[in-house]
Amino acid sequence: MPEPRTILIVSDHTGLTAENIARALLAHFPTQPMRYLRRPFTADVSAAQAVTREVQALAERGERPLIFTTITRADVLTALQAAPAEIFDLLSNGLGVLEREFGVPAVREVGRHHDMHDTEAYLSRMDALDFALATDDGIGDKQYGLSDVILVGVSRAGKTPTSLFLALQHGVRASNYPLAEDDFERTGLPLPLEAHRHKLHGLTIDPRRLHAIRTQRKPGSRYASLEQCEHEVRRAERLFQRAGIPVRDTTSASVEEIAAGILAALRAG
Amino acid sequence: MPEPRTILIVSDHTGLTAENIARALLAHFPTQPMRYLRRPFTADVSAAQAVTREVQALAERGERPLIFTTITRADVLTALQAAPAEIFDLLSNGLGVLEREFGVPAVREVGRHHDMHDTEAYLSRMDALDFALATDDGIGDKQYGLSDVILVGVSRAGKTPTSLFLALQHGVRASNYPLAEDDFERTGLPLPLEAHRHKLHGLTIDPRRLHAIRTQRKPGSRYASLEQCEHEVRRAERLFQRAGIPVRDTTSASVEEIAAGILAALRAG
């Protein structure tokens, strides 16, 4: 096993974008262990010099750190480039190309991306989050009418994390409909969902995985038993099929993947 | 105002990383209107060719779209590069540099980043999310003991979005403590918080902004009145100061910014 490599995430703002790109790249090297150091809010020359000194100290101990940075101010970037490290300057090239493309200079202000600059988009994300939280514990038909998406599934199939992620990341208003025993007795859709057929997305899950998740919450309960999980999942899947609801399996999908699939379906539809 | 430019986000997986980088770059051109088209799950040559045909159609109408892509499979990327557009190939260069740096080839598999490959990190995010949801409606001392962070503030100061974001994005376990009238009557910290002083982060907000937020929820109520908001914020700030709790102002900060600030403080502390 090689020594862990030090990965420095250096940003003039939150560091979310820099870390996101770094991880997207480094995920392609699964055998290489990494150690992350984050230096957000490195917004002026003296802050960059402090990072450079840190890197110097690592280099003196024989390390060769990798720096991933989204800094765009020329003087701050220059101060950072004095560090004895491989530097991944993530935005400069792209900004140069875009300047030529648009024929105007990039503003190169700090924190353009993760601040509230695009207030409308930000408020719609917060509004969608309030919406998801309000709808999380059983709701009325009015709220289904206001939803962009209604996630349908048995308890602990992944509805809540997905709806929160859809809200917080994408500003999409999602509600949940938890399937219960009564719903399985009907031949059609659950009554509150009938008027909203086009908004429905079913979530299913491997019964063994559901059993493990429910056992963590209520060990030894009937609710968590494998038998009950198998029963509920089987009947939920039958309901989805009968009603022609698109279904996603959450067993080995991340919330990022489930949300992206739902969004792609929404945009195509 | 220039014509809106078409921005294509083309990914072999969720498209989150590609859109994140594209927005980080494009945010530096605030006067340029954009129109986003997302083409996630473009994972094989025929999917890439479909995108290329779309771009062709746009080009025939006189448009010059910009493509931002995180595709890493050579054949799929080649198919996309046939499109008559400026293509921002966001990962290829970095992967090349990292291959030389680590001395091993990049695996270039689809969806390394947003899948559940790093299962432990993923489960800790989901666990933190459950934790944040469980603690959102008043909790016991046991749960404060298990928290990484306790956010303290008056109702609607931003505790819930921040704790959900800390969980979902960073896997940090955050609980909330809503300050109420009783807390202001004491000279010390609220009793349930006394044992956890080092975990506390205060959130404050401009009373006029708080008034606007609360008015949306309960118009005309005493709770939403400017007077009540001013009173609560003043007393909360006094409590933070007296107790020496670090404070963040959420009035014009995004959840990304608030969370990044708290994380930076956690990691420094």
Side-chain angles (χ1 to χ4, degrees), chain A residues 5 13 16 20 23 27-28 38 64 101 107-108 112-116 122 125 130 156 252-257 267, chain B residues 5 13 16 20 23 27-28 38 64 101 107-108 112-116 122 125 130 156 252-257 267:
Chain A
R5 190 64 82 92
H13 204 59
L16 281 174
N20 193 1
R23 286 188 181 272
H28 289 270
R38 295 167 186 87
R64 186 177 157 75
E101 197 64 40
V107 295
R108 291 172 200 267
R112 298 288 311 179
H113 181 35
H114 286 298
D115 67 7
M116 288 166 74
Y122 184 75
R125 283 165 55 210
D130 276 346
R156 306 300 291 174
S252 53
S254 66
V255 285
E256 284 83 354
E257 293 170 319
R267 282 165 182 153
Chain B
R5 190 65 85 91
H13 203 59
L16 280 175
N20 194 1
R23 286 187 180 274
H28 289 268
R38 296 167 187 86
R64 186 176 157 75
E101 196 64 39
V107 295
R108 291 171 198 266
R112 299 286 312 176
H113 181 32
H114 287 296
D115 68 7
M116 287 167 75
Y122 185 76
R125 284 165 54 209
D130 275 346
R156 305 301 290 175
S252 53
S254 66
V255 285
E256 284 82 355
E257 292 170 319
R267 282 164 181 153

Short mmCIF file of all heavy atoms in Angstrom, two decimals, chain A residues 5 13 16 20 23 27-28 38 64 101 107-108 112-116 122 125 130 156 252-257 267, chain B residues 5 13 16 20 23 27-28 38 64 101 107-108 112-116 122 125 130 156 252-257 267:
data_model
loop_
_atom_site.label_atom_id
_atom_site.label_comp_id
_atom_site.label_asym_id
_atom_site.label_seq_id
_atom_site.Cartn_x
_atom_site.Cartn_y
_atom_site.Cartn_z
N ARG A 5 -1.21 10.19 0.14
CA ARG A 5 -0.80 11.45 -0.46
C ARG A 5 -1.65 12.58 0.13
O ARG A 5 -2.87 12.41 0.29
CB ARG A 5 -1.02 11.36 -1.98
CG ARG A 5 -0.41 12.49 -2.77
CD ARG A 5 1.10 12.53 -2.67
NE ARG A 5 1.76 11.62 -3.58
CZ ARG A 5 2.16 11.98 -4.81
NH1 ARG A 5 2.03 13.21 -5.23
NH2 ARG A 5 2.72 11.10 -5.60
N HIS A 13 -13.32 30.55 -1.20
CA HIS A 13 -14.67 30.58 -0.66
C HIS A 13 -14.94 29.26 0.07
O HIS A 13 -14.10 28.83 0.85
CB HIS A 13 -15.65 30.86 -1.81
CG HIS A 13 -16.93 31.47 -1.35
ND1 HIS A 13 -16.98 32.66 -0.68
CD2 HIS A 13 -18.21 31.04 -1.45
CE1 HIS A 13 -18.25 32.93 -0.39
NE2 HIS A 13 -19.01 31.96 -0.83
N LEU A 16 -16.28 23.93 -1.80
CA LEU A 16 -17.12 22.82 -2.26
C LEU A 16 -16.81 22.41 -3.70
O LEU A 16 -16.70 21.23 -4.01
CB LEU A 16 -18.60 23.20 -2.18
CG LEU A 16 -19.26 23.13 -0.81
CD1 LEU A 16 -20.67 23.68 -0.88
CD2 LEU A 16 -19.29 21.68 -0.31
N ASN A 20 -15.16 18.92 -4.89
CA ASN A 20 -15.98 18.11 -5.78
C ASN A 20 -15.16 17.65 -7.00
O ASN A 20 -15.15 16.47 -7.36
CB ASN A 20 -17.20 18.95 -6.20
CG ASN A 20 -18.27 18.12 -6.87
OD1 ASN A 20 -18.13 16.91 -7.01
ND2 ASN A 20 -19.33 18.76 -7.28
N ARG A 23 -12.31 15.22 -5.97
CA ARG A 23 -12.80 13.87 -5.70
C ARG A 23 -13.22 13.15 -6.98
O ARG A 23 -13.04 11.94 -7.11
CB ARG A 23 -13.96 13.89 -4.70
CG ARG A 23 -13.48 14.18 -3.28
CD ARG A 23 -14.59 14.03 -2.25
NE ARG A 23 -14.11 14.32 -0.92
CZ ARG A 23 -13.55 13.44 -0.09
NH1 ARG A 23 -13.39 12.18 -0.46
NH2 ARG A 23 -13.13 13.81 1.11
N ALA A 27 -11.19 9.78 -7.61
CA ALA A 27 -11.97 8.54 -7.55
C ALA A 27 -11.49 7.54 -8.60
O ALA A 27 -11.75 6.34 -8.47
CB ALA A 27 -13.45 8.84 -7.76
N HIS A 28 -10.78 8.02 -9.61
CA HIS A 28 -10.27 7.11 -10.65
C HIS A 28 -8.97 6.43 -10.24
O HIS A 28 -8.39 5.68 -11.02
CB HIS A 28 -10.08 7.88 -11.96
CG HIS A 28 -11.37 8.25 -12.61
ND1 HIS A 28 -12.02 7.45 -13.52
CD2 HIS A 28 -12.18 9.33 -12.44
CE1 HIS A 28 -13.14 8.03 -13.91
NE2 HIS A 28 -13.26 9.17 -13.26
N ARG A 38 -8.24 20.80 4.09
CA ARG A 38 -9.08 21.81 3.45
C ARG A 38 -8.69 23.20 3.92
O ARG A 38 -8.57 23.42 5.13
CB ARG A 38 -10.55 21.54 3.77
CG ARG A 38 -11.01 20.22 3.17
CD ARG A 38 -12.34 19.77 3.72
NE ARG A 38 -12.67 18.45 3.23
CZ ARG A 38 -12.27 17.31 3.82
NH1 ARG A 38 -11.54 17.33 4.92
NH2 ARG A 38 -12.60 16.15 3.30
N ARG A 64 5.07 15.12 -1.23
CA ARG A 64 4.79 15.86 -2.46
C ARG A 64 3.28 16.03 -2.57
O ARG A 64 2.58 15.24 -3.21
CB ARG A 64 5.34 15.09 -3.65
CG ARG A 64 5.23 15.83 -4.96
CD ARG A 64 5.86 15.03 -6.09
NE ARG A 64 5.31 15.44 -7.37
CZ ARG A 64 5.62 16.57 -7.99
NH1 ARG A 64 6.50 17.40 -7.46
NH2 ARG A 64 5.06 16.89 -9.14
N GLU A 101 -14.79 33.45 -25.75
CA GLU A 101 -16.08 33.03 -26.30
C GLU A 101 -17.14 34.14 -26.16
O GLU A 101 -17.89 34.42 -27.09
CB GLU A 101 -16.53 31.77 -25.56
CG GLU A 101 -17.61 30.97 -26.19
CD GLU A 101 -17.20 30.38 -27.54
OE1 GLU A 101 -16.04 29.91 -27.69
OE2 GLU A 101 -18.05 30.41 -28.43
N VAL A 107 -15.48 38.25 -14.22
CA VAL A 107 -15.41 39.22 -13.12
C VAL A 107 -14.42 38.81 -12.04
O VAL A 107 -13.90 39.64 -11.31
CB VAL A 107 -16.80 39.50 -12.49
CG1 VAL A 107 -17.72 40.18 -13.49
CG2 VAL A 107 -17.43 38.25 -11.94
N ARG A 108 -14.11 37.54 -11.94
CA ARG A 108 -13.11 37.05 -10.98
C ARG A 108 -13.31 37.59 -9.57
O ARG A 108 -12.37 37.96 -8.89
CB ARG A 108 -11.68 37.37 -11.47
CG ARG A 108 -11.31 36.55 -12.69
CD ARG A 108 -9.99 36.97 -13.31
NE ARG A 108 -9.91 36.50 -14.70
CZ ARG A 108 -9.35 35.36 -15.08
NH1 ARG A 108 -8.76 34.60 -14.19
NH2 ARG A 108 -9.35 34.99 -16.34
N ARG A 112 -18.42 33.75 -6.27
CA ARG A 112 -19.56 33.97 -7.17
C ARG A 112 -20.52 32.80 -7.14
O ARG A 112 -21.71 32.95 -7.38
CB ARG A 112 -19.10 34.13 -8.63
CG ARG A 112 -18.20 35.28 -8.93
CD ARG A 112 -18.86 36.60 -8.88
NE ARG A 112 -20.10 36.66 -9.64
CZ ARG A 112 -20.85 37.75 -9.70
NH1 ARG A 112 -20.50 38.83 -9.04
NH2 ARG A 112 -21.96 37.75 -10.39
N HIS A 113 -20.00 31.61 -6.89
CA HIS A 113 -20.78 30.41 -7.16
C HIS A 113 -21.65 29.98 -5.97
O HIS A 113 -22.85 29.75 -6.14
CB HIS A 113 -19.83 29.29 -7.57
CG HIS A 113 -20.50 28.00 -7.90
ND1 HIS A 113 -21.74 27.94 -8.50
CD2 HIS A 113 -20.12 26.72 -7.71
CE1 HIS A 113 -22.08 26.68 -8.65
NE2 HIS A 113 -21.12 25.92 -8.18
N HIS A 114 -21.07 29.87 -4.80
CA HIS A 114 -21.84 29.34 -3.68
C HIS A 114 -22.42 30.41 -2.77
O HIS A 114 -22.87 30.12 -1.68
CB HIS A 114 -20.98 28.36 -2.86
CG HIS A 114 -20.78 27.06 -3.56
ND1 HIS A 114 -21.82 26.22 -3.87
CD2 HIS A 114 -19.66 26.46 -4.03
CE1 HIS A 114 -21.36 25.15 -4.49
NE2 HIS A 114 -20.05 25.27 -4.61
N ASP A 115 -22.38 31.68 -3.21
CA ASP A 115 -23.04 32.69 -2.39
C ASP A 115 -24.50 32.79 -2.83
O ASP A 115 -25.00 31.97 -3.58
CB ASP A 115 -22.30 34.04 -2.44
CG ASP A 115 -22.39 34.66 -3.83
OD1 ASP A 115 -23.12 34.13 -4.69
OD2 ASP A 115 -21.74 35.68 -4.04
N MET A 116 -25.19 33.81 -2.33
CA MET A 116 -26.61 33.91 -2.64
C MET A 116 -26.84 34.83 -3.84
O MET A 116 -27.90 35.39 -4.02
CB MET A 116 -27.38 34.43 -1.43
CG MET A 116 -27.49 33.39 -0.34
SD MET A 116 -28.03 34.12 1.21
CE MET A 116 -29.77 34.40 0.87
N TYR A 122 -31.60 30.41 -5.15
CA TYR A 122 -31.34 30.04 -3.77
C TYR A 122 -32.65 29.95 -2.99
O TYR A 122 -32.90 28.97 -2.28
CB TYR A 122 -30.39 31.04 -3.11
CG TYR A 122 -30.03 30.62 -1.70
CD1 TYR A 122 -29.14 29.58 -1.49
CD2 TYR A 122 -30.61 31.22 -0.60
CE1 TYR A 122 -28.83 29.14 -0.22
CE2 TYR A 122 -30.30 30.80 0.68
CZ TYR A 122 -29.41 29.77 0.87
OH TYR A 122 -29.12 29.34 2.13
N ARG A 125 -34.57 26.85 -3.69
CA ARG A 125 -34.04 25.67 -3.01
C ARG A 125 -34.51 25.64 -1.55
O ARG A 125 -34.92 24.59 -1.04
CB ARG A 125 -32.51 25.66 -3.06
CG ARG A 125 -31.96 25.24 -4.43
CD ARG A 125 -30.49 25.59 -4.54
NE ARG A 125 -29.72 25.00 -3.46
CZ ARG A 125 -28.61 25.51 -2.93
NH1 ARG A 125 -28.11 26.63 -3.38
NH2 ARG A 125 -27.99 24.91 -1.96
N ASP A 130 -38.21 23.58 2.77
CA ASP A 130 -39.33 23.76 3.71
C ASP A 130 -40.49 22.86 3.31
O ASP A 130 -41.14 22.24 4.14
CB ASP A 130 -39.83 25.21 3.67
CG ASP A 130 -39.03 26.12 4.58
OD1 ASP A 130 -38.27 25.59 5.42
OD2 ASP A 130 -39.15 27.34 4.44
N ARG A 156 -38.88 3.48 4.85
CA ARG A 156 -37.42 3.30 4.80
C ARG A 156 -36.91 2.80 3.45
O ARG A 156 -35.82 2.23 3.38
CB ARG A 156 -36.91 2.38 5.91
CG ARG A 156 -37.32 2.77 7.31
CD ARG A 156 -36.86 4.13 7.72
NE ARG A 156 -35.42 4.21 7.92
CZ ARG A 156 -34.76 5.33 8.17
NH1 ARG A 156 -35.40 6.48 8.25
NH2 ARG A 156 -33.46 5.33 8.33
N SER A 252 -28.75 -0.14 -4.17
CA SER A 252 -27.33 0.19 -4.29
C SER A 252 -27.15 1.45 -5.11
O SER A 252 -26.17 1.63 -5.83
CB SER A 252 -26.56 -0.98 -4.90
OG SER A 252 -27.19 -1.36 -6.10
N ALA A 253 -28.11 2.36 -4.99
CA ALA A 253 -27.99 3.66 -5.66
C ALA A 253 -27.86 4.74 -4.60
O ALA A 253 -28.50 4.68 -3.56
CB ALA A 253 -29.22 3.92 -6.53
N SER A 254 -27.02 5.73 -4.87
CA SER A 254 -26.88 6.86 -3.94
C SER A 254 -28.03 7.85 -4.15
O SER A 254 -28.69 7.82 -5.19
CB SER A 254 -25.54 7.56 -4.19
OG SER A 254 -25.53 8.17 -5.46
N VAL A 255 -28.26 8.72 -3.19
CA VAL A 255 -29.31 9.74 -3.39
C VAL A 255 -29.00 10.60 -4.60
O VAL A 255 -29.92 11.03 -5.30
CB VAL A 255 -29.52 10.68 -2.16
CG1 VAL A 255 -30.26 9.97 -1.07
CG2 VAL A 255 -28.25 11.31 -1.68
N GLU A 256 -27.72 10.85 -4.86
CA GLU A 256 -27.34 11.61 -6.05
C GLU A 256 -27.85 10.91 -7.31
O GLU A 256 -28.37 11.55 -8.22
CB GLU A 256 -25.81 11.74 -6.14
CG GLU A 256 -25.19 12.76 -5.19
CD GLU A 256 -24.97 12.23 -3.78
OE1 GLU A 256 -25.40 11.08 -3.48
OE2 GLU A 256 -24.39 12.95 -2.97
N GLU A 257 -27.68 9.59 -7.35
CA GLU A 257 -28.08 8.83 -8.53
C GLU A 257 -29.60 8.75 -8.66
O GLU A 257 -30.16 8.92 -9.75
CB GLU A 257 -27.48 7.43 -8.47
CG GLU A 257 -25.96 7.44 -8.61
CD GLU A 257 -25.33 6.09 -8.31
OE1 GLU A 257 -25.75 5.41 -7.36
OE2 GLU A 257 -24.38 5.72 -9.03
N ARG A 267 -37.49 15.95 -16.84
CA ARG A 267 -37.16 16.87 -17.92
C ARG A 267 -37.51 16.31 -19.27
O ARG A 267 -37.82 17.04 -20.20
CB ARG A 267 -35.67 17.23 -17.84
CG ARG A 267 -35.42 18.25 -16.76
CD ARG A 267 -33.96 18.38 -16.40
NE ARG A 267 -33.81 19.35 -15.32
CZ ARG A 267 -32.82 19.35 -14.44
NH1 ARG A 267 -31.89 18.41 -14.51
NH2 ARG A 267 -32.75 20.26 -13.50
N ARG B 5 -27.07 31.78 -24.31
CA ARG B 5 -26.19 30.77 -24.87
C ARG B 5 -26.61 29.41 -24.32
O ARG B 5 -26.91 29.30 -23.13
CB ARG B 5 -24.75 31.09 -24.45
CG ARG B 5 -23.71 30.25 -25.16
CD ARG B 5 -23.69 30.56 -26.65
NE ARG B 5 -22.88 31.70 -27.00
CZ ARG B 5 -21.58 31.62 -27.32
NH1 ARG B 5 -20.97 30.46 -27.34
NH2 ARG B 5 -20.91 32.70 -27.61
N HIS B 13 -22.79 10.00 -15.98
CA HIS B 13 -23.45 9.60 -14.74
C HIS B 13 -24.44 10.70 -14.34
O HIS B 13 -25.20 11.13 -15.18
CB HIS B 13 -22.36 9.33 -13.70
CG HIS B 13 -22.81 8.42 -12.61
ND1 HIS B 13 -23.26 7.15 -12.84
CD2 HIS B 13 -22.89 8.60 -11.26
CE1 HIS B 13 -23.60 6.60 -11.69
NE2 HIS B 13 -23.40 7.46 -10.72
N LEU B 16 -23.79 15.89 -11.83
CA LEU B 16 -23.64 16.87 -10.74
C LEU B 16 -22.29 17.58 -10.80
O LEU B 16 -22.21 18.79 -10.65
CB LEU B 16 -23.78 16.18 -9.38
CG LEU B 16 -25.19 15.89 -8.90
CD1 LEU B 16 -25.14 15.10 -7.60
CD2 LEU B 16 -25.97 17.19 -8.68
N ASN B 20 -21.68 21.49 -11.64
CA ASN B 20 -21.04 22.27 -10.59
C ASN B 20 -19.87 23.09 -11.15
O ASN B 20 -19.75 24.29 -10.91
CB ASN B 20 -20.56 21.29 -9.50
CG ASN B 20 -20.19 22.00 -8.22
OD1 ASN B 20 -20.30 23.22 -8.11
ND2 ASN B 20 -19.75 21.25 -7.24
N ARG B 23 -21.11 25.82 -13.62
CA ARG B 23 -21.69 26.98 -12.94
C ARG B 23 -20.62 27.82 -12.25
O ARG B 23 -20.72 29.05 -12.19
CB ARG B 23 -22.76 26.54 -11.94
CG ARG B 23 -24.05 26.10 -12.64
CD ARG B 23 -25.17 25.83 -11.65
NE ARG B 23 -26.38 25.41 -12.32
CZ ARG B 23 -27.31 26.25 -12.82
NH1 ARG B 23 -27.15 27.55 -12.70
NH2 ARG B 23 -28.38 25.78 -13.42
N ALA B 27 -20.49 31.57 -13.55
CA ALA B 27 -20.86 32.61 -12.58
C ALA B 27 -20.00 33.86 -12.73
O ALA B 27 -20.37 34.94 -12.29
CB ALA B 27 -20.74 32.07 -11.15
N HIS B 28 -18.85 33.72 -13.39
CA HIS B 28 -17.98 34.87 -13.59
C HIS B 28 -18.39 35.72 -14.78
O HIS B 28 -17.72 36.70 -15.12
CB HIS B 28 -16.52 34.41 -13.75
CG HIS B 28 -15.94 33.91 -12.46
ND1 HIS B 28 -15.25 34.71 -11.58
CD2 HIS B 28 -15.97 32.69 -11.88
CE1 HIS B 28 -14.87 34.01 -10.54
NE2 HIS B 28 -15.29 32.77 -10.68
N ARG B 38 -29.44 19.47 -19.85
CA ARG B 38 -28.70 18.44 -19.13
C ARG B 38 -28.86 17.10 -19.82
O ARG B 38 -29.97 16.69 -20.14
CB ARG B 38 -29.20 18.37 -17.70
CG ARG B 38 -28.92 19.64 -16.94
CD ARG B 38 -29.68 19.72 -15.63
NE ARG B 38 -29.51 21.03 -15.02
CZ ARG B 38 -30.24 22.10 -15.29
NH1 ARG B 38 -31.23 22.04 -16.17
NH2 ARG B 38 -30.01 23.24 -14.69
N ARG B 64 -24.17 28.56 -31.16
CA ARG B 64 -22.85 28.00 -30.88
C ARG B 64 -22.85 27.56 -29.41
O ARG B 64 -22.45 28.29 -28.51
CB ARG B 64 -21.79 29.07 -31.11
CG ARG B 64 -20.38 28.56 -30.97
CD ARG B 64 -19.35 29.65 -31.31
NE ARG B 64 -18.09 29.34 -30.69
CZ ARG B 64 -17.24 28.40 -31.11
NH1 ARG B 64 -17.53 27.69 -32.18
NH2 ARG B 64 -16.11 28.19 -30.46
N GLU B 101 1.62 11.29 -11.96
CA GLU B 101 1.96 11.54 -10.54
C GLU B 101 1.93 10.23 -9.73
O GLU B 101 2.82 9.97 -8.92
CB GLU B 101 0.95 12.54 -10.00
CG GLU B 101 1.30 13.22 -8.71
CD GLU B 101 2.54 14.10 -8.83
OE1 GLU B 101 2.72 14.78 -9.87
OE2 GLU B 101 3.32 14.08 -7.88
N VAL B 107 -8.75 4.47 -13.61
CA VAL B 107 -9.62 3.36 -13.98
C VAL B 107 -10.67 3.75 -15.03
O VAL B 107 -11.17 2.91 -15.75
CB VAL B 107 -10.30 2.70 -12.75
CG1 VAL B 107 -9.27 2.04 -11.85
CG2 VAL B 107 -11.13 3.69 -11.99
N ARG B 108 -10.99 5.04 -15.11
CA ARG B 108 -11.94 5.54 -16.12
C ARG B 108 -13.22 4.73 -16.20
O ARG B 108 -13.77 4.49 -17.27
CB ARG B 108 -11.27 5.60 -17.51
CG ARG B 108 -10.19 6.68 -17.58
CD ARG B 108 -9.37 6.63 -18.85
NE ARG B 108 -8.12 7.37 -18.66
CZ ARG B 108 -7.95 8.63 -18.99
NH1 ARG B 108 -8.90 9.32 -19.55
NH2 ARG B 108 -6.80 9.23 -18.76
N ARG B 112 -17.68 6.78 -10.90
CA ARG B 112 -16.87 6.50 -9.72
C ARG B 112 -17.22 7.45 -8.57
O ARG B 112 -17.05 7.11 -7.42
CB ARG B 112 -15.36 6.71 -10.02
CG ARG B 112 -14.76 5.85 -11.09
CD ARG B 112 -14.54 4.44 -10.69
NE ARG B 112 -13.88 4.28 -9.40
CZ ARG B 112 -13.68 3.11 -8.84
NH1 ARG B 112 -14.09 2.01 -9.45
NH2 ARG B 112 -13.08 3.00 -7.69
N HIS B 113 -17.64 8.66 -8.93
CA HIS B 113 -17.67 9.71 -7.91
C HIS B 113 -18.99 9.75 -7.13
O HIS B 113 -18.99 9.76 -5.91
CB HIS B 113 -17.42 11.05 -8.61
CG HIS B 113 -17.41 12.22 -7.68
ND1 HIS B 113 -16.98 12.14 -6.37
CD2 HIS B 113 -17.78 13.51 -7.86
CE1 HIS B 113 -17.10 13.34 -5.81
NE2 HIS B 113 -17.58 14.16 -6.67
N HIS B 114 -20.11 9.74 -7.83
CA HIS B 114 -21.39 9.90 -7.12
C HIS B 114 -22.10 8.58 -6.86
O HIS B 114 -23.26 8.57 -6.52
CB HIS B 114 -22.31 10.87 -7.88
CG HIS B 114 -21.85 12.29 -7.77
ND1 HIS B 114 -21.81 12.94 -6.56
CD2 HIS B 114 -21.38 13.15 -8.69
CE1 HIS B 114 -21.35 14.17 -6.75
NE2 HIS B 114 -21.08 14.33 -8.02
N ASP B 115 -21.42 7.45 -7.07
CA ASP B 115 -22.07 6.20 -6.72
C ASP B 115 -21.76 5.87 -5.25
O ASP B 115 -21.23 6.70 -4.52
CB ASP B 115 -21.69 5.07 -7.68
CG ASP B 115 -20.23 4.68 -7.54
OD1 ASP B 115 -19.55 5.19 -6.63
OD2 ASP B 115 -19.78 3.87 -8.36
N MET B 116 -22.10 4.68 -4.84
CA MET B 116 -21.89 4.34 -3.43
C MET B 116 -20.57 3.61 -3.23
O MET B 116 -20.39 2.88 -2.28
CB MET B 116 -23.05 3.48 -2.93
CG MET B 116 -24.32 4.28 -2.76
SD MET B 116 -25.77 3.21 -2.54
CE MET B 116 -25.53 2.67 -0.85
N TYR B 122 -20.58 7.16 2.38
CA TYR B 122 -21.98 7.32 2.02
C TYR B 122 -22.88 7.01 3.21
O TYR B 122 -23.79 7.77 3.55
CB TYR B 122 -22.35 6.43 0.83
CG TYR B 122 -23.76 6.67 0.38
CD1 TYR B 122 -24.08 7.81 -0.35
CD2 TYR B 122 -24.79 5.79 0.72
CE1 TYR B 122 -25.38 8.06 -0.74
CE2 TYR B 122 -26.10 6.04 0.33
CZ TYR B 122 -26.38 7.18 -0.40
OH TYR B 122 -27.67 7.44 -0.77
N ARG B 125 -22.98 9.71 5.73
CA ARG B 125 -23.84 10.84 5.35
C ARG B 125 -25.30 10.52 5.63
O ARG B 125 -26.05 11.35 6.15
CB ARG B 125 -23.66 11.18 3.86
CG ARG B 125 -22.37 11.95 3.57
CD ARG B 125 -22.06 11.94 2.08
NE ARG B 125 -23.17 12.44 1.31
CZ ARG B 125 -23.46 12.09 0.05
NH1 ARG B 125 -22.71 11.23 -0.59
NH2 ARG B 125 -24.50 12.59 -0.56
N ASP B 130 -30.27 10.99 9.05
CA ASP B 130 -31.24 10.44 10.01
C ASP B 130 -31.13 11.15 11.34
O ASP B 130 -32.13 11.48 11.98
CB ASP B 130 -30.95 8.95 10.25
CG ASP B 130 -31.60 8.08 9.19
OD1 ASP B 130 -32.46 8.59 8.45
OD2 ASP B 130 -31.24 6.89 9.10
N ARG B 156 -36.34 29.90 13.01
CA ARG B 156 -36.21 30.37 11.63
C ARG B 156 -34.94 31.19 11.38
O ARG B 156 -34.88 31.97 10.43
CB ARG B 156 -37.43 31.17 11.17
CG ARG B 156 -38.75 30.45 11.32
CD ARG B 156 -38.83 29.17 10.56
NE ARG B 156 -38.87 29.34 9.12
CZ ARG B 156 -38.85 28.35 8.24
NH1 ARG B 156 -38.78 27.09 8.66
NH2 ARG B 156 -38.87 28.59 6.96
N SER B 252 -27.36 37.00 4.90
CA SER B 252 -27.04 36.99 3.47
C SER B 252 -25.98 35.94 3.17
O SER B 252 -25.17 36.10 2.27
CB SER B 252 -26.61 38.38 3.02
OG SER B 252 -25.57 38.84 3.84
N ALA B 253 -26.00 34.85 3.95
CA ALA B 253 -25.09 33.74 3.69
C ALA B 253 -25.90 32.54 3.23
O ALA B 253 -26.98 32.28 3.73
CB ALA B 253 -24.30 33.40 4.95
N SER B 254 -25.37 31.79 2.28
CA SER B 254 -26.03 30.58 1.82
C SER B 254 -25.74 29.44 2.79
O SER B 254 -24.79 29.52 3.58
CB SER B 254 -25.53 30.21 0.42
OG SER B 254 -24.17 29.85 0.48
N VAL B 255 -26.53 28.38 2.75
CA VAL B 255 -26.23 27.23 3.61
C VAL B 255 -24.83 26.68 3.31
O VAL B 255 -24.15 26.19 4.21
CB VAL B 255 -27.24 26.06 3.51
CG1 VAL B 255 -28.53 26.39 4.21
CG2 VAL B 255 -27.47 25.61 2.10
N GLU B 256 -24.42 26.74 2.04
CA GLU B 256 -23.08 26.29 1.68
C GLU B 256 -22.03 27.09 2.47
O GLU B 256 -21.06 26.53 2.98
CB GLU B 256 -22.82 26.49 0.18
CG GLU B 256 -23.50 25.47 -0.72
CD GLU B 256 -24.96 25.78 -1.01
OE1 GLU B 256 -25.51 26.75 -0.43
OE2 GLU B 256 -25.57 25.04 -1.81
N GLU B 257 -22.24 28.40 2.55
CA GLU B 257 -21.27 29.27 3.22
C GLU B 257 -21.30 29.06 4.74
O GLU B 257 -20.25 28.98 5.38
CB GLU B 257 -21.56 30.73 2.89
CG GLU B 257 -21.29 31.04 1.41
CD GLU B 257 -21.79 32.42 0.98
OE1 GLU B 257 -22.90 32.82 1.39
OE2 GLU B 257 -21.08 33.09 0.23
N ARG B 267 -12.60 22.01 12.17
CA ARG B 267 -11.33 21.39 11.82
C ARG B 267 -10.16 22.12 12.44
O ARG B 267 -9.13 21.52 12.72
CB ARG B 267 -11.20 21.33 10.29
CG ARG B 267 -12.03 20.21 9.73
CD ARG B 267 -12.26 20.31 8.24
NE ARG B 267 -13.08 19.20 7.79
CZ ARG B 267 -13.87 19.22 6.73
NH1 ARG B 267 -13.94 20.31 5.99
NH2 ARG B 267 -14.57 18.16 6.39
#
